[in-house]
Amino acid sequence: MASSSAPVPSVPSDPSGGPARVVVLVSGSGTNLQALLDAIAEQGSEAYGVEIVAVGADRDGITGLQRAESARIPTFVRRVKDYDSRADWDAALTDATAAYEPDLVVSAGFMKILGKEFLARFGGRTVNTHPALLPSFPGAHGVRDALAYGAKVTGCTVHFVDDGVDTGPIIAQRVVEVRDEDDESALHERIKDVERSLLVEVVGRLARHGYRIEGRKVRIS
Ligand code: GAR
């Protein structure tokens, strides 16, 4: 069970009712999605506690969608440019996601800010993974910004999404050292290695054990 001052979700929605239903949102290569798919393939949905019921994207033609299709998982695409306003896009994304009745939503490299309607429906049960140690270096260029700042360590953060940019309650973090010879791509690849295993661990624990959000603290039961 989960509790927070915002919407109060229940995850898994029915602890005796099988794995948590998860919708994953992607914008790019989808290696974090693949790590979740691999965990399900290796451990089984029941043991891992997660079933990916759909994968959504904000653009066509990305490897993340191909990974979902290869795993025979339904996909949907909602592109901002197809809507009159950002709010209309957000409503369409919300409807498309809601159609799969998820217990949890995982934003895994989804490079759009989720809007008011989405958060009204899925706040408190939408998890994001970010390639920096929040609250340092939020936003779309977390790896580049840490490197430019001269940070000696950075890492990744899995957190619940709220209405700020990468400001929601932190679930788990892991540290990655910055090397003198790092460029953005080399550092991001080392972060993603760590990030994928952290995301798999966190999503499984949330799904299997349930959680509470108490202010900024996330307690996994
Ligand atoms: C991941 O490193 C994720 O943290 C980052 O995009 C990458 C997606 O990789 N997300 C952000 O920067 C969001 N601000 P993937 O498509 O291979 O999973």
Side-chain angles (χ1 to χ4, degrees), residues 2 19 36-37 52 74 82 84-85 91 98-100 115 119 130-131 134 142 150 183 207:
L36 293 167
L37 291 170
I52 298 179
D82 294 334
D84 288 342
S85 68
Y100 293 95
L119 292 176
H130 181 74
L134 294 171
D183 61 13

Side-chain angles (χ1 to χ4, degrees), residues 8-207:
V8 182
S10 162
V11 175
S13 56
D14 173 2
S16 61
R21 297 173 61 82
V22 175
V23 169
V24 181
L25 301 177
V26 296
S27 294
S29 60
T31 65
N32 281 282
L33 164 66
Q34 189 66 54
L36 293 167
L37 291 170
D38 291 348
I40 293 166
E42 282 156 23
Q43 300 177 38
S45 272
E46 294 289 334
Y48 180 49
V50 170
E51 179 189 6
I52 298 179
V53 290
V55 171
D58 62 333
R59 61 199 77 184
D60 298 303
I62 55 172
T63 310
L65 287 172
Q66 287 167 14
R67 293 178 192 278
E69 283 152 17
S70 300
R72 297 201 167 74
I73 291 171
T75 61
F76 58 88
V77 175
R78 296 294 180 275
R79 303 184 306 176
V80 171
K81 66 182 178 192
D82 294 334
Y83 297 88
D84 288 342
S85 68
R86 194 74 180 208
D88 287 351
W89 169 78
D90 184 57
L93 184 74
T94 304
D95 286 348
T97 302
Y100 293 95
E101 301 181 346
D103 300 308
L104 280 174
V105 178
V106 177
S107 159
F110 188 66
M111 302 304 280
K112 291 279 184 304
I113 307 282
L114 296 166
K116 277 204 174 84
E117 189 160 337
F118 195 95
L119 292 176
R121 186 84 176 243
F122 299 113
R125 53 193 166 120
T126 299
V127 170
N128 180 50
T129 180
H130 181 74
L133 293 175
L134 294 171
S136 293
F137 312 118
H141 305 292
V143 180
R144 187 187 307 172
D145 293 346
L147 207 50
Y149 195 85
K152 298 297 183 193
V153 293
T154 182
C156 52
T157 302
V158 179
H159 65 98
F160 282 106
V161 175
D162 68 5
D163 58 4
V165 177
D166 299 326
T167 53
I170 291 171
I171 310 167
Q173 296 182 296
R174 281 198 192 148
V175 174
V176 173
E177 264 189 63
V178 180
R179 297 179 184 157
D180 288 344
E181 67 275 19
D182 269 336
D183 61 13
E184 183 180 355
S185 149
L187 179 57
H188 199 171
E189 281 311 311
R190 279 207 321 290
I191 291 171
K192 283 172 68 167
D193 258 353
V194 173
E195 186 179 21
R196 288 188 279 264
S197 64
L198 184 65
L199 185 69
V200 165
E201 180 191 314
V202 166
V203 171
R205 288 178 62 214
L206 293 172

